[in-house]
Amino acid sequence: MKVRGAGAAGAAGEAARRGPGAPVARSRQGTRRTGLEPGAGAARPPPPPPPPPPPPPPGGPGADGNRLSVLLKKMHLFRSSSYEIRLEGEGGNLPRIQGIRWTPLLDTESTLDYGHSLTQASSEKIWRAGKLLFIHLTSTHPGLIRDHKHHLRHHRQCCSGKELVDWLLSAGLAVQTRSQAVGICQVLVDGGVLTHVKQEWHFQDKDTQFYRFAELELSPEPGAGLRDAEELLEALAFLAQLGPDALLTMALRKPPAQRTEDELELIFEELLHIKAVAHLSNSVKRELASVLMFESHQRAGTVLFSQGDKGTSWYIIWKGSVNVVTHGKGLVATLHEGDDFGQLALVNDAPRAATIILREDNCHFLRVDKQDFNHILKDVEANTMRLKEHGKVVLVLQKNLQGGSSQPATARSSRYFVMAGTPEKILEHLLEFMRLDATLYDPVDTLLGDFLLTYTVFMPTSQLCRALLHHFRAELLEGSEQEKATYSLHKRRKILRLVSQWVLLYGRLLQGDRSTMALLQNLADLASRDPRLGGLVQEQAQDRRRPRALENGDGSVSPQPKAQSSVNWLTSQEEAILNSSCALRAQDKVPYEIYRADHSCLITVLPVNASVRDILRSLAPRLGRDREHILVKVNSAGDKVGLQLDAVGVFTALGLNERLFAVSVEELGSLTPHPEQLGPHVGSSETLDLISSKDLASHLTDYDWNLFKSIHQVEMIHYIVGPQKFHDVTTANLERVMRRFNELQYWVATELCLCPEVGRRAQLLRKFIKLAAHLKEQKNLNSFFAVMFGVSNTAVSRLAKTWERLPHKIRKLHSALERMLDPSWNHRVYRLAVAKLSPPIIPFVPLLLKDMTFIHEGNRTLSENLINFEKMHMMAKTVRVLQRCRGHAHAPLSPLRNRSPHRPEDPKAVRISTCSEQSLSVRSPVSTWAYLQHLRAIDSQKELLRLSHDLES
């Protein structure tokens, strides 16, 4: 397939979807591509200079030292940020997540220029960590640093790379793997703490490569022994956090021919999270990993290339930003991390369309030279097969270069990946190469799972049913009778296997679809006439029932159904996750709370996916028929949004502290928020005093698990693609998890801002930090992020007197926990940490949705009238994270571990708004559970800041 870049049409389409004035959220990687195609420089720049010399030891005099001391004293101020799931939509459409927004400080302290100080602070932390490591090494293993002789040359007072790595692994410093130790050493080399005897900048884990520690201030400070021992593990954790970036940077600095297989894989993994190449296939990304070059420039204002220059390279911004300037117009755009420029000039062999000027210091780029670029295009074309019918391409396949002879034949469905095609041809290819034992979650052959998870995006269910029935009845036109019978039997077995996996995945979601039920009935009837197929149906039914006892969240065993007819077998199985009493389906009925202009409440029970027209019709007798009424969504700030009559799922889509009002047009102007929407006026710190932070975390994890396991995997796809394509599905379970994230975040900030006494407030802040630590330990990362963002809210981070009262140990704990929040390099710290965890895990759901949005909006669904199936593969891969995180039965950690899954007993348990909390007089599990179900929070940042200034002006 052709390598395509995002153009102006994509950006214009995005702007059109959002509408005028709609806020655009962006990730750390920067803004969306502009469509303007500036080029890259005419001449290849010289090799990157070596890293700058190490800074002087910390504590030096001067203005920079004073600025640094002020910075470190107010460390919590510049780290302050707000993280919010932004639900947007008009006309009652289901809300959309538009990525992740980081909001800077709103007060005057945020205007300080921290750039230089932050860089110096990081360098000095590396030196401090290196000093602690060196002191520990010389005190525990003094013989490691000694004179060496190699190839008739003497190297004084050094150690080999292998000796240093071996020592890190054996010193009991929580360094677990060799690659982690190499990463720590690479950070020390980059920071100038460790130097190669020949001044090489690539750390090598070899006996023949020797390194010296720089001349550090080695005399211990008075009384520093115990403190240094405490800081050593923290210093190692800091170096380990920087290690992956250091290894990746060094791999990119090496000439492509010298990169190892592990380094190529590391670069490939990085490319998976760079938006400039999101539209490229994985095979193209692997080829890019083998030719990418690293290029850096130190000073802002540097001209990378000028308009009119000959295009010789394609650039991707890896770190920093650039300005795009054209003759006559001046500055026309700013490009940030993840953006690219120069591609079209290479494709069209045209001069550069603009001048590129560095916008900030220390910018890093990934560069692909023209020769390598053209070579990749030729390779892609050579490994691509296009199948045509009636002169039109109907299927595009690409050779599977990764799954060759090293894999057994049983592990490969085909030598080719499906890249694009018509829906019918993709299904035909799947049936041709599918194995009879194929499963949804095969780690090697993902075609079946990719298709079933995403088919609703490009193929109506009725069309799939017709195609499956057609293939089931089709017979071979040529060949002997034996060959025809064998062909038909084999094809029908594959279809029954596909349908079995389809029903296993969707379960009850299919029961409301007439075309699906008709297909299942027809297949059951046809299979019952062939004894060779009837036995297969019963065998697959038993296989599908077997894992259900493992997937119930409460550990109970699902009852095994008795023998049924084939049609009952096909329609009775459900995805085990949907057995949870907490899961909501589109047809389930829930109480709707609708308010009138006088703030009185009307309750009606309707299906989850009831339309606005259905809601107003059910309330008509109580609203009165003399005037026409409309349904309006109102938030705590008083903003009103009128909902279209055909909008569905509006009640479950309500955000934090939002309400639905049924009013006449005359009442709309005077409509005000309900008092409950404004949040509490008094905090509940006395209630929280009765609950330990560990018990609080256990109850939150128990509650959150019930919500998380109720999410159906396809809800993520339905939510991102949009409600306009899906009318009979609901994303209510996913929306509840996102709303809970916002609720928990604002609850933390609310409780702290409503605590008037500084001593009690410091104790409450300490409890929330310990709560976050327990949540992380219990692998409830969604609530961990919510609590940490609540603590980092601007209204909380500015409370300097409160933070000063925290014990040193809690401050260190908070700093350690904050590392997980680092959004740089596309949240790499978080992603690496999650990759090491075993299930069950409650992942950071907003980041999953950000990844899905990134894939959906960065790749076209249709390309040249063919389905872009590579996009479907990427979406399915992200969705599978849910299945991995729920791969084992969860063992709740709260005192309620033996109670059945939470079952709402009253309408307020499923209402979207929050209820008045009940004060707890005893520390009982039941009362704690009830309190956490109905948290109250102020969601107005303006009000939180006002309260914060009242506490500490």
Side-chain angles (χ1 to χ4, degrees), residues 730-771:
T730 181
T731 55
N733 302 297
L734 179 59
E735 289 158 355
R736 288 191 304 181
V737 171
M738 295 190 300
R739 187 170 48 253
R740 179 65 169 182
F741 180 92
N742 283 338
E743 181 181 64
L744 200 56
Q745 176 186 180
Y746 281 107
W747 167 70
V748 170
T750 298
E751 291 296 337
L752 289 167
C753 290
L754 289 179
C755 190
E757 199 272 313
V758 63
R760 180 180 286 271
R761 191 164 59 249
Q763 288 296 321
L764 189 58
L765 178 57
R766 176 176 178 267
K767 171 166 284 192
F768 283 137
I769 293 173
K770 292 178 67 177
L771 170 63

Side-chain angles (χ1 to χ4, degrees), residues 575-703:
E575 187 186 30
I577 291 172
L578 288 180
N579 286 331
S580 169
S581 59
C582 199
L584 292 175
R585 295 176 298 166
Q587 62 270 30
D588 289 343
K589 292 188 176 183
V590 296
Y592 281 59
E593 294 181 357
I594 311 297
Y595 291 85
R596 304 183 70 170
D598 61 0
H599 292 169
S600 60
C601 182
L602 303 175
I603 297 180
T604 181
V605 178
L606 293 170
V608 169
N609 261 19
S611 66
V612 170
R613 182 180 288 104
D614 295 333
I615 297 172
L616 292 175
R617 185 182 295 122
S618 68
L619 295 175
R622 287 179 280 178
L623 291 174
R625 302 182 184 275
D626 54 330
R627 289 184 294 180
E628 185 176 354
H629 289 79
I630 58 175
L631 199 63
V632 181
K633 180 173 64 176
V634 181
N635 64 14
S636 60
D639 300 326
K640 312 175 190 67
V641 177
L643 303 178
Q644 300 293 327
L645 291 176
D646 57 351
V648 297
V650 294
F651 189 62
T652 55
L654 288 176
L656 180 61
N657 289 346
E658 288 185 337
R659 299 288 189 276
L660 293 178
F661 285 79
V663 297
S664 63
V665 176
E666 294 80 9
E667 295 171 323
L668 187 59
S670 60
L671 185 60
T672 59
H674 191 281
E676 271 192 6
Q677 294 180 253
L678 304 180
H681 300 290
V682 180
S684 58
S685 59
E686 294 182 358
T687 296
L688 291 171
D689 285 343
L690 302 174
I691 314 170
S692 71
S693 57
K694 186 173 183 179
D695 286 346
L696 200 59
S698 298
H699 281 80
L700 279 173
T701 299
D702 200 16
Y703 182 78

Side-chain angles (χ1 to χ4, degrees), residues 3 271 280-289 376 380 398:
V3 180
L271 291 177
L280 303 178
S281 68
N282 284 345
S283 60
V284 173
K285 291 188 183 81
R286 289 191 181 277
E287 293 204 46
L288 281 176
I376 290 175
V380 169
Q398 193 170 90

Side-chain angles (χ1 to χ4, degrees), residues 194-345:
L194 200 63
T195 58
H196 191 274
V197 294
K198 295 183 179 179
Q199 302 302 313
E200 295 180 4
W201 291 97
H202 177 210
F203 181 84
Q204 299 183 62
D205 180 13
K206 295 182 179 179
D207 278 323
T208 56
Q209 303 296 321
F210 302 101
Y211 299 86
R212 296 189 184 99
F213 279 86
E215 294 183 2
L216 304 171
E217 293 184 345
L218 303 181
S219 56
E221 301 172 7
L226 178 60
R227 188 183 65 193
D228 285 353
E230 292 177 349
E231 290 185 63
L232 182 60
L233 289 180
E234 183 179 352
L236 261 294
F238 171 71
L239 295 175
Q241 177 189 348
L242 301 180
D245 288 341
L247 290 176
L248 179 59
T249 303
M250 186 48 60
L252 288 166
R253 287 180 183 273
K254 293 173 66 175
Q258 297 180 15
R259 293 170 186 164
T260 66
E261 288 297 324
D262 289 340
E263 289 171 338
L264 291 175
E265 188 65 24
L266 190 65
I267 298 172
F268 170 71
E269 291 292 335
E270 178 67 16
L271 291 177
L272 292 178
H273 303 296
I274 294 179
K275 68 177 181 179
V277 297
H279 62 286
L280 303 178
S281 68
N282 284 345
S283 60
V284 173
K285 291 188 183 81
R286 289 191 181 277
E287 293 204 46
L288 281 176
S290 65
V291 299
L292 277 173
M293 299 290 291
F294 177 84
E295 183 176 321
S296 67
H297 298 274
Q298 301 300 318
R299 300 299 179 190
T302 301
V303 177
L304 190 61
F305 56 82
S306 298
Q307 186 173 347
D309 288 348
K310 182 180 179 181
T312 59
S313 300
W314 171 36
Y315 285 87
I316 300 169
I317 304 175
W318 197 38
K319 177 185 177 184
S321 59
V322 299
N323 287 329
V324 183
V325 180
T326 61
H327 299 327
K329 293 184 179 180
L331 179 64
V332 295
T334 298
L335 304 179
H336 298 264
E337 292 177 13
D339 292 324
D340 70 309
F341 48 89
Q343 184 181 9
L344 292 183

Side-chain angles (χ1 to χ4, degrees), residues 441 501-512 544 547-548 550-554 558 571-588 608 705-716 718 728-734 736 882 886 901-903:
Y441 305 112
Q501 295 297 300
W502 181 29
V503 176
L504 175 64
L505 174 63
Y506 285 83
R508 292 180 291 176
L509 299 181
L510 298 175
Q511 288 184 351
R544 286 158 46 85
R548 297 182 64 177
L550 296 177
E551 298 199 22
N552 284 349
D554 60 347
S558 300
T571 58
S572 65
Q573 299 300 304
E574 310 158 11
E575 187 186 30
I577 291 172
L578 288 180
N579 286 331
S580 169
S581 59
C582 199
L584 292 175
R585 295 176 298 166
Q587 62 270 30
D588 289 343
V608 169
W705 179 258
N706 280 328
L707 293 180
F708 175 64
K709 72 177 183 179
S710 70
I711 301 174
H712 196 291
Q713 294 174 70
V714 295
E715 283 190 55
M716 292 184 64
H718 295 160
D728 299 322
V729 299
T730 181
T731 55
N733 302 297
L734 179 59
R736 288 191 304 181
L882 291 183
R886 301 186 296 209
H902 173 62
R903 185 183 300 275

Side-chain angles (χ1 to χ4, degrees), residues 26-78:
R26 56 175 63 96
S27 71
R28 178 78 161 82
Q29 287 197 351
T31 57
R32 186 170 274 284
R33 298 174 65 178
T34 63
L36 179 67
E37 202 293 306
R44 181 179 300 181
D64 286 341
N66 294 333
R67 177 195 271 179
L68 180 62
S69 63
V70 173
L71 174 70
L72 296 178
K73 184 177 180 181
K74 297 186 176 182
M75 184 69 75
H76 58 276
L77 292 176
F78 74 80

